[in-house]
Amino acid sequence: MNFSQLRSFFVHFLSVVCSLLSVESYGQSQVIPCIMGKMNRLHGFTTNSFPPHFDKTELDVEDSISYTIPVIFHVIYLKANVGPALLKPSAYEEEIGIMNQCYGKYGIGSNTNAVGSKAGITFCLATKDPSGNPSTGIEYIQSSYSNLTETGEMLTKNLSRWDQTRYLNIWVVTNIDGSDNILGYSYLPRYSIKDKNHPNEVDGLVINYRTIGANNPNAIYGYSQGKTSVHEVGHYLDLMHPWGGDDKNAGEGTCSDDDGVDDTPPCEFIFYSQFPKCDHPQQCNSVRQIENYMDYSMDKCANLFTNGQVRNMRRALRKYRPNIISCTNLESAGCVASCAREKTDISPVIEFNPNPSSGVGAIFVSVEFKQGIHFHIVDMTGRIVKEFVLENVIAGRIPYDFSDLANGVYTIFAEAYDKTHVSRLIIQKR
């Protein structure tokens, strides 16, 4: 290649790069991560800040209970092999895994920030429908209402809706209000759950299919790590955006506004922190916490829930959604074989070593369990993948072989004497 050809190639290369940068910049300027405030107002729900005070004697229960929420994905698609129909069930299983990591404070790049707090909330693809029939937790429905409009929202949601007191309904659509770049929305339960037994029909999440999973072929630039659902579940569990209300013209979203959470720094309305810089602007005499899942940062910048947000979400579950996390419901939705949520933690008497593991290791038990220990192992989608009982256990080292399990993060429930120890095991086989 001579100098003239090299120069021509270099000019063409720069032109392509500038074009790509322009497209990405344009796409980012058009992305609207969430229209929660707009949709709440459309239904007459106020979106102002400062959530109602809880009865602390009833709801401020600090415990080691891990709450589980059964999930049903209603995948509304327009045409076969187009839009949401492109995504295989594995994409939704991956999305559940991402949600569990972000709310569980484990995994790579998911709630690993030192300031972040573990929510103790997990999600499970329902294996039984409301009638008790087998389910994958994913259903595909072909309809022109896959293009959801604000005024035609109910036309989409009426296509399929499972009992909202028992399941988290997630409607996955082609686009929202004619835009490919509106990512999703949800409703605040303080308004949509006035009666625990009769929630408003809108209750649940609407998600743009382009944000599902971390390997989506049609992912939206900057929002491709599956964290849109994490953000919208935060609203479903009564979290505001960190700037407070969503109407700056009415004085909401300014420095004088608030989200009702003590440990989220004050900030001013919308800010898009972009990867890889993940800039932290100085606002309202504070450094903006752009890592917060409830902000509008790109997915790779978002990485935490605060202690206060976790406390409020757990309160909201107990106040607004007690049935969805009940043992009876978890068993009937097929999320657990037998519910141990009310049982007392017996840690640290049981430990898995090494961790991470190649699949082979040992269980270290520090006390005797003459009646035996019942183990069940749950994967990131909330499914039980292994179950076994160790009889007449004495203190010491007990070898295990889980080499049949795939690489991933597993939750292990060990039950004995009506008590339960919950631990996580990472399997990393070479």
Side-chain angles (χ1 to χ4, degrees):
M1 181 181 293
N2 59 35
F3 177 79
S4 177
Q5 290 173 319
L6 183 63
R7 180 177 180 277
S8 177
F9 170 81
F10 185 70
V11 169
H12 175 70
F13 174 78
L14 284 179
S15 174
V16 170
V17 169
C18 290
S19 174
L20 288 173
L21 289 174
S22 175
V23 167
E24 288 188 348
S25 176
Y26 175 79
Q28 167 61 12
S29 67
Q30 299 300 304
V31 167
I32 303 175
C34 175
I35 57 170
M36 181 275 291
K38 184 178 183 181
M39 295 304 294
N40 272 261
R41 286 194 298 273
L42 185 68
H43 290 276
F45 306 147
T46 58
T47 57
N48 58 327
S49 307
F50 304 103
H53 292 291
F54 292 99
D55 180 349
K56 290 182 180 273
T57 60
E58 177 187 357
L59 298 168
D60 255 2
V61 180
E62 294 307 325
D63 49 45
S64 59
I65 292 172
S66 179
Y67 294 123
T68 299
I69 299 175
V71 176
I72 171 64
F73 285 100
H74 309 285
V75 184
I76 317 298
Y77 68 96
L78 183 61
K79 297 179 181 179
N81 300 317
V82 176
L86 286 172
L87 301 183
K88 297 179 180 179
S90 59
Y92 298 97
E93 294 172 355
E94 181 182 48
E95 182 62 34
I96 289 288
I98 292 168
M99 292 162 62
N100 282 336
Q101 289 180 30
C102 293
Y103 280 82
K105 197 171 171 58
Y106 64 90
I108 300 173
S110 297
N111 202 359
T112 54
N113 191 293
V115 179
S117 181
K118 176 182 176 181
I121 298 170
T122 60
F123 304 86
C124 159
L125 283 172
T127 61
K128 295 180 182 178
D129 70 11
S131 299
N133 300 313
S135 170
T136 62
I138 309 161
E139 61 172 6
Y140 292 84
I141 302 167
Q142 186 171 15
S143 172
S144 60
Y145 297 138
S146 180
N147 299 318
L148 183 145
T149 64
E150 291 179 7
T151 56
E153 174 187 21
M154 300 311 295
L155 295 174
T156 299
K157 291 186 173 180
N158 287 342
L159 293 170
S160 181
R161 181 189 294 100
W162 289 15
D163 186 345
Q164 293 145 302
T165 68
R166 297 183 54 201
Y167 302 89
L168 163 56
N169 287 260
I170 302 180
W171 289 272
V172 181
V173 298
T174 301
N175 61 44
I176 299 171
D177 207 31
S179 172
D180 291 337
N181 283 345
I182 296 177
L183 307 191
Y185 66 90
S186 182
Y187 292 91
L188 299 171
R190 68 185 81 157
Y191 304 121
S192 64
I193 310 290
K194 291 295 185 183
D195 180 343
K196 297 172 186 175
N197 297 315
H198 300 92
N200 191 292
E201 290 181 328
V202 301
D203 189 56
L205 278 56
V206 172
I207 301 293
N208 185 324
Y209 86 96
R210 292 168 165 46
T211 70
I212 295 293
N215 296 285
N216 194 313
N218 292 314
I220 294 175
Y221 174 75
Y223 299 89
S224 59
Q225 302 299 306
K227 294 180 182 177
T228 294
S229 295
V230 175
H231 176 103
E232 298 305 338
V233 167
H235 292 316
Y236 175 84
L237 297 179
D238 212 40
L239 293 186
M240 300 284 290
H241 293 128
W243 56 83
D246 276 356
D247 187 358
K248 192 171 184 180
N249 292 328
E252 296 176 350
T254 63
C255 289
S256 60
D257 198 3
D258 189 71
D259 63 351
V261 181
D262 294 339
D263 59 358
T264 54
C267 60
E268 189 170 14
F269 213 54
I270 294 169
F271 178 80
Y272 295 87
S273 193
Q274 301 184 43
F275 186 81
K277 288 186 177 181
C278 297
D279 292 326
H280 295 72
Q282 184 84 17
Q283 295 180 341
C284 310
N285 298 316
S286 300
V287 176
R288 185 159 180 149
Q289 191 181 66
I290 60 95
E291 296 91 351
N292 200 296
Y293 288 125
M294 300 312 295
D295 213 331
Y296 278 3
S297 301
M298 285 186 172
D299 279 7
K300 288 187 177 181
C301 300
N303 196 23
L304 69 86
F305 287 116
T306 68
N307 288 327
Q309 286 176 315
V310 165
R311 184 174 60 250
N312 282 14
M313 287 190 288
R314 291 173 67 82
R315 284 174 177 172
L317 268 175
R318 292 189 287 264
K319 180 177 177 66
Y320 300 113
R321 307 185 189 277
N323 187 61
I324 206 169
I325 56 173
S326 69
C327 282
T328 300
N329 188 54
L330 296 181
E331 291 169 358
S332 63
C335 283
V336 295
S338 60
C339 185
R341 187 176 65 79
E342 305 296 345
K343 298 177 182 178
T344 306
D345 187 17
I346 57 174
S347 64
V349 298
I350 299 173
E351 182 181 1
F352 290 81
N353 202 348
N355 195 1
S357 165
S358 64
V360 177
I363 306 170
F364 289 86
V365 181
S366 61
V367 296
E368 182 178 76
F369 291 93
K370 290 184 178 180
Q371 294 183 7
I373 307 175
H374 179 202
F375 292 87
H376 60 270
I377 303 176
V378 178
D379 67 12
M380 289 193 299
T381 70
R383 299 182 189 280
I384 297 174
V385 295
K386 184 180 286 290
E387 192 169 6
F388 61 97
V389 176
L390 296 178
E391 302 285 357
N392 195 25
V393 177
I394 61 174
R397 179 180 182 275
I398 305 169
Y400 72 78
D401 186 348
F402 300 155
S403 56
D404 56 327
L405 297 181
N407 286 348
V409 182
Y410 295 86
T411 302
I412 302 178
F413 297 86
E415 300 176 15
Y417 297 126
D418 290 327
K419 297 180 181 180
T420 302
H421 170 61
V422 182
S423 58
R424 282 196 170 84
L425 177 66
I426 300 173
I427 293 184
Q428 292 179 345
K429 293 182 285 190
R430 296 181 180 181

